[in-house]
Every structure is written in structure tokens, then in C-alpha cells.
């Protein structure tokens, strides 16, 4: 498409504007917009793009109140549009408050160098809305004792979270916006100078967060680090707090009919062989089987997939024997195309080897969904490939000097590109791979690359219809799973990648896989 040459793509949280949609989207809108006017050839813009993407990811929950967008002024179709908005240099940031009149050209905003300062600028701009306050934007001003007294008379929520903080702190407002799409909770800030409230709740630390209940009682929110990220994570995961979109999902009786099997209990901290083997079975039987004839590219992708499994998959002997024979059969198959019926016949006959068969059942354990249309196969694909990157890291052959550290990732990309049924997922994954997979130079980086890309996908899908309410899309691993993985730098959340790597190595180690629920 016309945006292909631009600096942003469909995997970013940035709305890509074009001459034909810009006015309809940003003028007289119910949310505010912050737009980057850029030229794809401009070096400053290229250097600024990663920050813009990071900001968009950081404030993704704020979308109903403020959208982040970009328009490529170097795209010939957008030339007059950029001129009409009085843009004469790149990059230019412009703010459009909610309900901007049709002749607005936007308010110029300084392009700061850090996500934090841009985020704070956005809050300050949102606060300037007067009468035309964006309807989805919660109140951002501090709460007073008088207001608190009557709060639950006008708000039917289970929790009011109070963030006590110094006047100069933005944490309270950031958390308020982070929770705006969540129901059953409201968040307000309280300034340290609001003495009546500070003494009423006996608050001594700034920042600190308290939960205030309709019956007038309160408790302190317990977090490991007193900052935005930990508050947001803890509040989003309180019992009864749900993302607004959930109310559309699965409440009617219709959906209940799709719960086909009884729920199997499982340990969320473990990996199950049933999921891994089912993933392989499903791939070979269903996904590969939807192609009548495998083309040269598909055949080569299938060969890499099977060869990587043979090398690194710690499957049960019954599965590994089958894969080994399949692998040699594929290697000796030298035609450029392969009719699936030929492969299917061979697999059914166990390649004429006695007792050789692909384990037939497909059963999801840690990948079960609370409804049949949730989770299952895609969950198992992630799980399988995380496992394979970790197994390669722990494998001597893969760590030899001339081995390719991207071997597993390339096999995954080939599989996803050629066979993964969700075509939109495939193209997203492909663009992420094009963007950064070439930077992977070691097996450690390959584990971390996949972890990071998966988190990127999680952040994009949070709140999407495919999200299982019982398994919210969170940044993984959360603090209650790996506290040491989290840290703070200049007040911002950061990952301790060495600790994440250690965590992933343990989670995906062969001797931690459980064989429960297998025949
Ligand atoms: P999943 O995201 O499938 O994760 C499975 C399990 O892995 C989680 O339960 C958790 O235990 C663990 N986990 C979570 N994050 C990480 C991490 N960062 N590192 C290690 N382990 C982790 N769906 C779309 O709607 N749009 C898309 O564009 C899209 N793209 C996809 C691309 C690929 C390559 C794949 C495999 C799937 C894609 N999907 C997409 C599907 C989506 O990502 C989920 O797999 C699906 O919604 C099921 O979600 P889930 O709750 O089972 O968790």
C-alpha cells in the first residue's frame, strides 16, 4: 500500500494517516490526537521513529482519550495535506484537542527526546481541554476530602484507587489513564498537600497507592516498587476489574454451547507436552494439509520446520521417532513440489516402518481457552517456538561456531509465512522479522528476540476480541511470576534481560515439561 514506504507499519500502535482520511479522523473527533508530520527520507524523522513507536506502545491504553498518529509528507498523495496543516519542517508534532473545528491546523508540540517527557506533555495538553473534555477521558485533577465523601454516591465502582503523590508527580494521572478502559475501578490522585486526606488515611509515603471501598474502609495497595508500572499492573488485575470490552464476550447463552470439553486443571507455571505435541500434530495434519500441493517455498519451509524439531524438540520417543523418519523422507524427496496427498499417505502408513505413527489426539492443557474459540493452537505455536529457541541455546550442536543463531527463528518465520492459518498474524510477524530479526547474533539473543516480539504482539492484542478474559494479554513474565525480571530506570519500568533470559531458560527447560493428560 501507499504507507509501505513510510516509517510505521501495521504492527505499531500508531494510526497511519493519509490525505483521504486525515480530516475525518482527527477533526471534530471525540478523542484528542497527537500527529507526527514527517518525511520518510528525513534523517531526524528516522531517528525519532523508534521513540514515537515506544510512546505509542507506552500509552496504548489511553487511546479512547488520545490517539497517536503519523503522516508521511514525502508520500506524493499527502503533499497538499501537510501544507494545509501549515507544516514546513520535519518532524513536526501537532496536537488536536477533542472536537477541533474543521479549520484547525493543530497546536505545535516540541518533540522531546524521552518517552517520559512526551507522555507528561500529553497529560498537560489533555488537561487544557475545557468544555470539550474528551468523553472517554477520566477526571485528572486531584480529589479533595469533600469529593471523596460523596464519591460512591455518583460512581458505581467497587474500588477507588487513590494515588498519593507530590504536586510535580505525574504517576497518579498516568495510572488514571492506564485504567481508563477498565471497569469497576476509578483512579484519582491526591496531593501531599491535601492534609485532611493524608491524615485521614495516615499516609506517609509519596507516591503510595490506597484502595478505598464503598463502605468507607481502605487498604494500602501492596507493590514491590512504588511506580506507575507496578500500580497499573496491580490495579488491572484486581478481582472484579475487567477490561470494558469484555462485556461483549461470551455472556449470552449461545457461547456456552461451544464449551466442548471439561476444564482440565493445570499449573500455570509449567509447560505441558500435550500442548507441544498437539501443536506439531495440528501443524502437520491440519495446516500443512490445507495446501493441495506444497510449492517449492512451502516444501522448503516444511523441511526446515521438521528439521529444527528433530534437532531440538524434546518430545516423547513416539513423537521423535516419527519426526526422524519424516525428516529423512523429506530430505530424500527431491522434486520441487509435493502433493499433500502423497505426504498424507506416507504419514498414515507410518512410512512403512512398523508401529510408527504421529500421535493422533489434539488436546490443549496450558493452552486451553475458557471458550473453544480462544487460545488453543496459536498459544501452542508460541509455546513450541519459545521452547525451541531455549533448547537450541542449551544444545551443543547449535552453539558450535559455524552454526546459525537464527536457525530456529528462520524455521518459525518460514512456518508462519507459509502455513499459519491466520494470514493477518503472518504478515504482522513477517514485518516484525524484517524489521529486526537480522540483529540476532547469538542464541541468547534469539531467545530474547522471540520473547520481546511476543510481548509486542501481546501489547497490540490487549483488549482485542481474541483475548480470553481468563488469560489477559499482559507483558510477560509479570512481577508475580518473575519479580527479579523487573527494574526501574529514571522512574521508568525496564526489563532486566539477564534475569528474563534466566527465567525463560528455566521455564522452557526439557526437564520441566509435564506429561499429564497424555495417553
Ligand atoms: P499467547 O500469546 O498465545 O501465549 C501463550 C502463552 O505463552 C501465554 O499463556 C504465556 O504463558 C506465555 N507467554 C506470553 N507472553 C510471552 C512472552 N513474551 N514470552 C514467553 N512466553 C510468553 N492474533 C491476532 O489477533 N493478531 C495477530 O496479529 C496475531 N499474530 C500472531 C503471530 C504469531 C506468530 C502467533 C503464533 C500468534 C499470533 N496471534 C495473533 C495469536 C495471539 O498471539 C495468541 O496466540 C492468541 O490470541 C492466544 O492467546 P493466549 O492467551 O493463549 O496467549
Amino acid at each position: 500500500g501507499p504507507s509501505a514506504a513510510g516509517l510505521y507499519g501495521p504492527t505499531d500502535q500508531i494510526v497511519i494517516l493519509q490525505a483521504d482520511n486525515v480530516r475525518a479522523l482527527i477533526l471534530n473527533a471525540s478523542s484528542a490526537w497527537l500527529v507526527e508530520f514527517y518525511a520518510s527520507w528525513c534523517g531526524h524523522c528516522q531517528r525519532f521513529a523508534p521513540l514515537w513507536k515506544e510512546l505509542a506502545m507506552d500509552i496504548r491504553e489511553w487511546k479512547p482519550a488520545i490517539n497517536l498518529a503519523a503522516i508521511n509528507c514525502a508520500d506524493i498523495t499527502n503533499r497538499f495535506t501537510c501544507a494545509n496543516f501549515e507544516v514546513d519542517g520535519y518532524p513536526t508534532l501537532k496536537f488536536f484537542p477533542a472536537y477541533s473545528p474543521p479549520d484547525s491546523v493543530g497546536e505545535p508540540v516540541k518533540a522531546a527526546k524521552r518517552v517520559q517527557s512526551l507522555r507528561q506533555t500529553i497529560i498537560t495538553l489533555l488537561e487544557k481541554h475545557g468544555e470539550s473534555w474528551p468523553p472517554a477521558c477520566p477526571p485528572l485533577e486531584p480529589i479533595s476530602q469533600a469529593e471523596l465523601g460523596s464519591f460512591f454516591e455518583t460512581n458505581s465502582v467497587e474500588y477507588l484507587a487513590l494515588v498519593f503523590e507530590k504536586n510535580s508527580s505525574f504517576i497518579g494521572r498516568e495510572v488514571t489513564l492506564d485504567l481508563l478502559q477498565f471497569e469497576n475501578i476509578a483512579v484519582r490522585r491526591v496531593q501531599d498537600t491535601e492534609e485532611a486526606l493524608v491524615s485521614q488515611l495516615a499516609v506517609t509515603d509519596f507516591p503510595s497507592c490506597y484502595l478505598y471501598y464503598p463502605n468507607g474502609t481502605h487498604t494500602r495497595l501492596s507493590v514491590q516498587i512504588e511506580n506507575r508500572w507496578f500500580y497499573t499492573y496491580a490495579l488491572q488485575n484486581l478481582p472484579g476489574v475487567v477490561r470494558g470490552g469484555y462485556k461483549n464476550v461470551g455472556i449470552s447463552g449461545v457461547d456456552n454451547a461451544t464449551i466442548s470439553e471439561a476444564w482440565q486443571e493445570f499449573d500455570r507455571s509449567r509447560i505441558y507436552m500435550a500442548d507441544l505435541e498437539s501443536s506439531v500434530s495440528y501443524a502437520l495434519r491440519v495446516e500443512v494439509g490445507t495446501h493441495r500441493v506444497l510449492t517449492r517455498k512451502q516444501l522448503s519451509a516444511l523441511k526446515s520446520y521438521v528439521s529444527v524439531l528433530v534437532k531440538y524438540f524434546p518430545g516423547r520417543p513416539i513423537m521423535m521417532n516419527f519426526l526422524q523418519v519424516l525428516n529423512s523422507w523429506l530430505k530424500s524427496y527431491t522434486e520441487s513440489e509435493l502433493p499433500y496427498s502423497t505426504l498424507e499417505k506416507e504419514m498414515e502408513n507410518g512410512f512403512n516402518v512398523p508401529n510408527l505413527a504421529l500421535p493422533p489426539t489434539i488436546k490443549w492443557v496450558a493452552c486451553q481457552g475458557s471458550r473453544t474459540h480462544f487460545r488453543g493452537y496459536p498459544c501452542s505455536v508460541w509455546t513450541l517456538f519459545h521452547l525451541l529457541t531455549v533448547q537450541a541455546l542449551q544444545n551443543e550442536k547449535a552453539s558450535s561456531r559455524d552454526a546459525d543463531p537464527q536457525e530456529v527463528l528462520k524455521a518459525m518465520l518460514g512456518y508462519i509465512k507459509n502455513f499459519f492459518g491466520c494470514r493477518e498474524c503472518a504478515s504482522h510477524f513477517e514485518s516484525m522479522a524484517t524489521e529486526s530479526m537480522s540483529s540476532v547474533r547469538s542464541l541468547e539473543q534469539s531467545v530474547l528476540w522471540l520473547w520481546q516480539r511476543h510481548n509486542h504482539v501481546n501489547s497490540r492484542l490487549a483488549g482485542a476480541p481474541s483475548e480470553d478474559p481468563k488469560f489477559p494479554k499482559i507483558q510477560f513474565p509479570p512481577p508475580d511470576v518473575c519479580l527479579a525480571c523487573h527494574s526501574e530506570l529514571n522512574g521508568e519500568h525496564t526489563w532486566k534481560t539477564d534475569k528474563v533470559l534466566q527465567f525463560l531458560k528455566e521455564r522452557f527447560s526439557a526437564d520441566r515439561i509435564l506429561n499429564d493428560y497424555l495417553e
Side-chain angles (χ1 to χ4, degrees):
S3 63
L7 298 176
Y8 305 98
T11 66
D12 300 313
Q13 305 266 344
I14 293 161
V15 179
I16 298 169
L17 300 174
Q18 291 287 332
D20 57 3
N21 67 9
V22 57
R23 292 190 167 270
L25 284 171
I26 70 176
L27 301 176
N28 196 25
S30 61
S31 76
W33 286 76
L34 186 57
V35 181
E36 184 204 2
F37 295 84
Y38 73 96
S40 41
W41 44 260
C42 129
H44 273 103
C45 304
Q46 290 159 9
R47 280 193 295 279
F48 183 71
L51 185 69
W52 199 238
K53 292 181 192 183
E54 200 186 323
L55 175 68
M57 177 115 141
D58 185 87
I59 62 166
R60 62 188 180 272
E61 297 289 356
W62 305 8
K63 268 182 211 150
I66 166 87
N67 269 285
L68 237 50
I71 180 163
N72 184 3
C73 303
D75 182 333
I76 197 97
T77 55
N78 296 332
R79 236 179 351 168
F80 300 117
T81 311
C82 297
N84 290 342
F85 281 104
E86 298 176 6
V87 171
D88 50 14
Y90 310 118
T92 292
L93 301 185
K94 287 197 165 202
F95 183 73
F96 297 83
Y99 307 110
S100 286
D103 56 350
S104 318
V105 295
E107 182 185 331
V109 172
K110 197 168 162 277
K113 291 199 173 61
R114 287 180 52 196
V115 168
Q116 189 178 33
S117 31
L118 280 166
R119 196 171 62 220
Q120 296 178 352
T121 302
I122 288 173
I123 289 177
T124 310
L125 288 165
L126 281 174
E127 287 177 320
K128 285 209 273 182
H129 280 99
E131 301 260 289
S132 62
W133 191 261
C137 188
L140 298 172
E141 77 271 14
I143 197 169
S144 65
Q145 193 180 29
E147 216 185 325
L148 180 64
S150 60
F151 183 86
F152 289 105
E153 288 165 21
T154 47
N155 292 279
S156 60
V157 290
E158 273 180 57
Y159 309 91
L160 171 62
L162 298 172
V163 178
F164 286 81
E165 62 185 351
K166 301 231 158 72
N167 181 33
S168 59
S169 163
F170 281 84
I171 295 178
R173 285 164 284 180
E174 289 166 350
V175 176
T176 302
L177 288 160
D178 285 342
L179 268 293
L180 87 85
Q181 301 193 53
F182 288 75
E183 295 187 339
N184 264 333
I185 185 164
V187 185
R188 295 292 293 272
R189 69 186 297 234
V190 186
Q191 286 181 346
D192 60 346
T193 48
E194 176 71 34
E195 277 162 25
L197 274 181
V198 169
S199 65
Q200 185 190 330
L201 277 79
V203 177
T204 50
D205 301 329
F206 304 94
S208 60
C209 181
Y210 287 77
L211 293 173
Y212 197 86
Y213 301 97
N215 65 9
T217 60
H218 61 85
T219 52
R220 181 159 178 182
L221 185 74
S222 118
V223 288
Q224 290 85 358
I225 305 178
E226 304 283 342
N227 71 13
R228 169 199 177 200
W229 201 90
F230 281 86
Y231 291 158
T232 293
Y233 178 75
L235 297 177
Q236 287 179 345
N237 287 284
L238 284 173
V241 170
V242 289
R243 196 181 280 281
Y246 285 162
K247 59 178 179 292
N248 305 325
V249 178
I251 289 169
S252 74
V254 186
D255 259 5
N256 290 334
T258 62
I259 306 176
S260 57
E261 280 182 57
W263 184 260
Q264 318 267 14
E265 287 308 318
F266 68 95
D267 179 346
R268 288 203 190 203
S269 71
R270 304 294 287 270
I271 300 301
Y272 287 79
M273 190 57 88
D275 291 322
L276 299 165
E277 290 193 356
S278 296
S279 192
V280 175
S281 274
Y282 187 92
L284 295 175
R285 286 216 169 81
V286 183
E287 292 219 293
V288 176
T290 58
H291 303 268
R292 217 168 47 79
V293 177
L294 305 190
T295 63
R296 182 196 297 272
K297 274 190 186 152
Q298 288 166 338
L299 180 56
S300 136
L302 177 65
K303 286 180 176 180
S304 313
Y305 173 75
V306 175
S307 128
V308 157
L309 285 173
V310 165
K311 279 196 194 159
Y312 309 123
F313 183 43
R316 292 178 302 162
I318 174 176
M319 176 58 102
M320 296 319 292
N321 291 342
F322 180 87
L323 288 173
Q324 266 145 21
V325 177
L326 169 61
N327 190 39
S328 356
W329 188 86
L330 284 171
K331 275 192 175 157
S332 64
Y333 186 88
T334 51
E335 312 270 319
S336 64
E337 294 190 336
L338 167 62
Y340 184 73
S341 55
T342 309
L343 177 64
E344 192 180 24
K345 212 173 292 154
E346 288 290 343
M347 295 203 298
E348 266 170 26
N349 296 336
F351 302 91
N352 298 319
V353 178
N355 299 323
L356 196 73
L358 180 60
T361 44
I362 287 172
K363 186 176 203 99
W364 310 121
V365 180
C367 282
Q368 281 171 105
S370 63
R371 296 276 186 283
T372 45
H373 62 278
F374 291 135
R375 309 191 77 225
Y377 182 60
C379 165
S380 76
V381 173
W382 283 119
T383 309
L384 177 65
F385 281 101
H386 286 301
L387 174 85
L388 293 173
T389 57
V390 169
Q391 293 301 309
L393 174 61
Q394 291 165 347
N395 185 291
E396 277 172 26
K397 262 184 256 155
S399 49
S400 79
R401 281 186 65 212
D402 47 329
D404 178 2
Q406 295 173 19
E407 183 187 17
V408 173
L409 298 180
K410 284 178 182 159
M412 175 172 181
L413 178 61
Y415 179 81
I416 298 290
K417 238 163 115 168
N418 288 286
F419 300 112
F420 197 51
C422 166
R423 295 322 293 158
E424 192 194 301
C425 305
S427 79
H428 284 152
F429 190 70
E430 211 180 322
S431 47
M432 291 197 300
T434 312
E435 204 174 275
S436 57
M437 210 171 94
S438 61
S439 67
V440 171
R441 300 260 150 70
S442 68
L443 294 166
E444 282 85 1
Q445 286 171 4
S446 132
V447 173
L448 289 171
W449 185 86
L450 195 59
W451 160 74
Q452 237 166 10
R453 296 303 99 192
H454 190 175
N455 269 345
H456 196 95
V457 173
N458 292 342
S459 109
R460 188 159 46 78
L461 296 182
S466 63
E467 181 180 48
D468 187 333
K470 280 206 173 153
F471 297 87
K473 297 272 190 290
I474 53 167
Q475 294 299 288
F476 184 88
D480 43 351
V481 174
C482 175
L483 180 56
C485 293
H486 298 267
S487 182
E488 184 179 24
L489 186 72
N490 303 326
E492 295 289 285
H493 173 266
T494 58
W495 292 98
K496 282 208 163 154
T497 46
D498 54 334
K499 293 291 194 288
V500 172
L501 184 64
Q502 195 184 325
F503 167 83
L504 293 172
K505 278 160 79 171
E506 203 166 304
R507 182 176 172 90
F508 293 104
S509 77
D511 55 13
R512 298 261 308 153
I513 302 173
L514 294 174
N515 279 341
D516 306 29
Y517 303 116
L518 287 167
E519 272 109 65

